[in-house]
Amino acid sequence: RNFNAGFEATLWNRLNIGFDFFIKETRDMLYQSPLAKSEGSPSYIWKNEMNMKNTGIEFEISGDIIKTKDIVWNASLNLTHYKNELTKLPESKPADEFPNGYQAGRYWRKLGGSLYDWYRYEYVGVDPSNGLPQYNKYIYKTDENGKYVRDENGDEIIEDVKIVNKTSDATLRQTGKSAIPDLVGGFSTTLTAYGVDLSIATAFQLGGWVQDQNYANLMNSGDNGENFHKDMFNRWTPAHTDTDIPALNFGNQNAGIDTTSDYFLVKGNYFSLRNVTIGYTFPKKILASTGITNLRIYLTGDNIWLKSVRKGFDPRYSFNGFNDIASYSALSSYSVGLNVSF
């Protein structure tokens, strides 16, 4: 169900402005509703039990900066911001156990939250005495029946926090971080002057948290055939204890930072130079005696440059925030062209 309202305006025959406000509601989304163990396999059945709403704005502005007989230079900017919100949760979820939401894989689903709110272990650094990783374990208050005591928001009340060395002993927690970006947009410009044409197209994103799985796999504890990221030079050693990277411990899976911890959640900010094209169109008076009515040569490049948190990290291929090892960045490509009209 969609609602959209906006306006468009042209000013001085050179400036174009567009603004849109939208609400998009998606109802009856699929959910793997759990079945009783006595029913055998599979352990779930698909039901239409979730609703979601996106509320946001889109803004676009474009115009001619210079507009003369020989020179035309224009530019455009577009921006999009929206909030993703769950408005209905599955009725079949264990409400007594999770009154304020429930775990869905690597995410936490709750009313008012987004579809991709991260649910991870809290990494709290390295034990300086032995170089092992450390995570938070939360001790919750319980009543005489062993049930959690909750506050007015339905959240568990914390009695104590302990530090442990394995995620199997730690507590999964709401991180307060969503994979949904705060702002996405693009900027482009075109310049034509005396037969030369130049166009540049860019794209960018601000906000959102992405799990850099490529980086996580390179920050392992050491095993046969495994590679490392250069950050491993900053690992714990007996002579270098002030670091957040654990010691190398060959073959010990618990010695490295667990990939399900929040350590590998990084900002999804990026800026990309998507396309640059430069060309030259020969004057018609030069072509008059050749039988050619138009002749243009050009050089173009696609996916030229990307700036993100670290080299090799491409947030564009992880809408749900999970940047997997198989998510290769788009290849840069360059070509030379010739357009001829007779």
Side-chain angles (χ1 to χ4, degrees):
R1 301 188 178 191
N2 296 308
F3 171 82
N4 186 285
F7 70 86
E8 296 179 355
T10 300
L11 306 175
W12 308 292
N13 200 32
R14 295 181 64 169
L15 182 65
N16 301 302
I17 299 175
F19 176 85
D20 282 287
F21 170 77
F22 64 87
I23 299 175
K24 179 179 180 180
E25 292 188 82
T26 305
R27 301 187 178 186
D28 298 327
M29 297 168 63
L30 285 171
Y31 169 71
Q32 288 185 349
S33 180
L35 295 174
K37 293 183 178 180
S38 59
E39 301 210 22
S41 181
S43 59
Y44 63 87
I45 185 173
W46 288 104
K47 290 185 178 181
N48 301 88
E49 293 189 300
M50 293 176 62
N51 293 347
M52 180 179 74
K53 180 172 69 173
N54 287 327
T55 305
I57 58 173
E58 294 178 329
F59 174 77
E60 183 174 3
I61 183 171
S62 62
D64 296 322
I65 302 172
I66 299 176
K67 190 175 183 180
T68 66
K69 178 183 177 182
D70 298 313
I71 302 176
V72 177
W73 177 25
N74 57 56
S76 66
L77 172 70
N78 66 81
L79 303 170
T80 300
H81 165 77
Y82 70 97
K83 178 184 178 182
N84 176 256
E85 180 182 3
L86 292 171
T87 56
K88 178 185 176 184
L89 292 179
E91 297 177 358
S92 56
K93 72 180 181 66
D96 292 337
E97 185 178 356
F98 303 115
N100 197 29
Y102 66 97
Q103 180 185 359
R106 58 181 72 99
Y107 310 109
W108 183 259
R109 303 277 165 77
K110 65 179 180 179
L111 289 175
S114 81
L115 190 64
Y116 300 122
D117 287 340
W118 287 104
Y119 192 59
R120 305 271 87 180
Y121 294 104
E122 291 182 353
Y123 180 70
V124 291
V126 171
D127 186 336
S129 65
N130 55 25
L132 290 176
Q134 299 181 128
Y135 310 91
N136 276 335
K137 177 180 181 179
Y138 289 85
I139 310 300
Y140 297 107
K141 186 176 181 180
T142 57
D143 59 20
E144 61 277 5
N145 298 318
K147 291 189 175 182
Y148 292 132
V149 177
R150 303 179 183 274
D151 59 23
E152 62 276 6
N153 297 319
D155 295 319
E156 303 95 336
I157 297 176
I158 299 172
E159 275 194 335
D160 192 16
V161 181
K162 295 184 178 180
I163 295 178
V164 296
N165 296 123
K166 297 185 296 182
T167 54
S168 57
D169 297 326
T171 309
L172 283 166
R173 295 281 292 168
Q174 300 178 53
T175 65
K177 300 174 180 178
S178 172
I180 307 295
D182 299 319
L183 185 72
V184 294
F187 173 80
S188 62
T189 184
T190 301
L191 173 66
T192 302
Y194 304 102
V196 177
D197 60 272
L198 171 67
S199 65
I200 301 173
T202 69
F204 56 86
Q205 173 178 302
L206 298 175
W209 292 85
V210 181
Q211 174 153 326
D212 189 354
Q213 193 65 23
N214 295 310
Y215 181 65
N217 291 335
L218 291 171
M219 295 296 289
N220 59 82
S221 58
D223 208 340
N224 293 326
E226 296 286 348
N227 205 343
F228 295 115
H229 191 275
K230 63 180 182 180
D231 287 356
M232 291 300 290
F233 284 121
N234 191 37
R235 69 190 182 277
W236 182 96
T237 66
H240 177 56
T241 60
D242 186 17
T243 178
D244 62 350
I245 299 175
L248 280 177
N249 196 328
F250 181 81
N252 185 350
Q253 294 182 347
N254 293 317
I257 305 173
D258 197 293
T259 59
T260 59
S261 74
D262 58 2
Y263 181 83
F264 298 108
L265 293 181
V266 296
K267 276 284 190 179
N269 301 347
Y270 77 84
F271 181 84
S272 66
L273 185 57
R274 299 185 64 181
N275 175 272
V276 175
T277 299
I278 184 169
Y280 178 73
T281 302
F282 289 84
K284 293 186 181 299
K285 62 182 180 179
I286 296 179
L287 304 174
S289 60
T290 64
I292 298 175
T293 58
N294 185 72
L295 178 61
R296 177 177 177 265
I297 59 173
Y298 65 89
L299 170 66
T300 184
D302 292 302
N303 299 307
I304 297 173
W305 181 72
L306 174 72
K307 176 63 177 177
S308 61
V309 172
R310 63 174 59 88
K311 186 176 181 180
F313 174 60
D314 191 345
R316 297 175 297 179
Y317 293 89
S318 53
F319 183 80
N320 64 355
F322 192 72
N323 189 267
D324 204 313
I325 191 74
S327 302
Y328 292 101
S329 297
L331 295 176
S332 299
S333 62
Y334 301 89
S335 58
V336 178
L338 177 67
N339 297 127
V340 183
S341 300
F342 297 94

